[in-house]
Amino acid sequence: MESFRSFDLFVAFSLLFMPQCSPFLNGWPTYARPSVTFRIPCLKDNLKSEPPHDQTAVEIDRRRLLQYGTASTIMYIADPAQAATSETAIRQDVKDVKPLSLDTSPTAVSMERRILQLLPIKNGVFQTLEEYVVRLSSLRSSPEDGKLLKKTVKNLESAINYLDKNRRSLEPVFNEEDDAIFQIEKAERGERVIESFRSELSILLALSKVGDIDQLLERQKSALLALADIGELLVSQFPLDVPKDGKFSFLPRLLGRCYATLQFKRDNRILGTATILADGFIAPITAGNFVDLCMRGFYDGLPVKTEKKRFGGSMLSRAGFLSLESLGFDIEKEESDPSSPSTVVSLPIFGSYRDGFYDPLTGKPRRIPLEILCQDSSSGPSKLSYERGFSELLDPFTNIDESSKPLIDFELKGLVALNHERSPGSSEFFVLPDTMPSDKRRFANKQYAPFGYVTNGYDVIQSLKAGDVISEVSISQFGTQNLVKIRGTSFSDVVQRDEE
């Protein structure tokens, strides 16, 4: 790989100063700029993903060449004969073209869209790019419509051109509290996530050209998540008021987002991995607790347990587990009374260990209040609410108003929630099973605090059973920068704790 890196630098240098050297590179896959064309070797390890079709062009990593301000696009051509003659024409005089008018219903990417909508940013370029990607959902209702598919191809071409012209509008926002090192890391991540999103757009374009609608709609989710990574860097100020006083001061909080990847094993055999996006924009204390435990290695080696859980009904009837048996994913419908239906579900519980995590700062099990992001009305501001009656921890607290509506509904598949029972949560979390009907999922609203989403490996999560083990957890180093701890573990902090 060292020799290939040297070659990359040679090509970049030649682009700047020796455009006449392109004939010496004849016969290799092509990347191009309007006035000059070069050909470079494509290594499989350098691909963002495998080509989805034998004749499909898929973009590879452009970052090292883009830093010189030279390359517009790099394409991998699977067919050697096509590679010998293909060139990618990129227009320099791109106009601000709005997306073509396409029907956007139904939109089957609700979780990804919600992740985007929670970002408190007002950026016209960002919103336009979101619209470009969301409009692909119109193909879901009319997959055989040839005219619609042609419009989609033009839409995606326009989206790529629009992104190339307006990249500067997507550069990260730097805050006063960011130190110099973090600003550098933020700028580098900004480059990476923009390139990742552009790669997703190129793959979507390739899929639309070959008419692979199923793969295109599946890949649409990845594009929206890549755009959300850009959006997080555009947030100028964390929008929620997180309690800091009293016992809340002992709890870590996530003022942003962070990815965690969990690997699972069964009988020492790796089952696969699942990636969870912990989201401080919906539950900063709950998400902060999860990220903190991941960083401490708390979840490493803990087994999965499967338990039977009631959703709906009265508080007394739903509090606590109904049994400790491993029951798989079978669902049994129950009604505690005619006016208060409920459902009983068997699901895996992750992160279970005795009384939970013992915080070295307090010497006691850490307790996390039921934290729900609510909206008082359809147009009112969102705020964090904390349930009364779960613990004396919540003093002072804001009670969950029965008339308020949670902004995150459990009908969204893939939500990760902290397990609250008779007492506040600590370390346990769960994901509702696929087999649970959507009309029953709403029973979990206001009972449990969603704090993240399964963005990858959802099938692995759904396949787990009692006895499987979380073998290891890796965490995004950049995301950990968003974790804030009000109190440290120094001697003075401990003395202050004892005095309180």
Side-chain angles (χ1 to χ4, degrees), residues 159-175:
I160 293 173
N161 292 333
Y162 183 80
L163 173 62
D164 288 341
K165 183 179 180 181
N166 294 279
R167 291 175 68 97
R168 288 189 176 274
S169 298
L170 299 177
E171 291 178 352
V173 173
F174 298 103
N175 303 314

Side-chain angles (χ1 to χ4, degrees), residues 469-487:
V469 175
I470 303 174
S471 56
E472 62 180 61
V473 179
S474 58
I475 198 85
S476 162
Q477 291 302 310
F478 182 84
T480 60
Q481 304 270 11
N482 295 319
L483 187 67
V484 176
K485 297 181 180 181
I486 295 179
R487 300 205 184 197

Side-chain angles (χ1 to χ4, degrees), residues 241-250 253 255 285 486-487:
D241 185 16
V242 187
K244 299 178 181 178
D245 300 329
K247 294 185 177 180
F248 278 99
S249 65
F250 292 93
R253 62 277 326 277
L255 306 185
I285 289 178
I486 295 179
R487 300 205 184 197

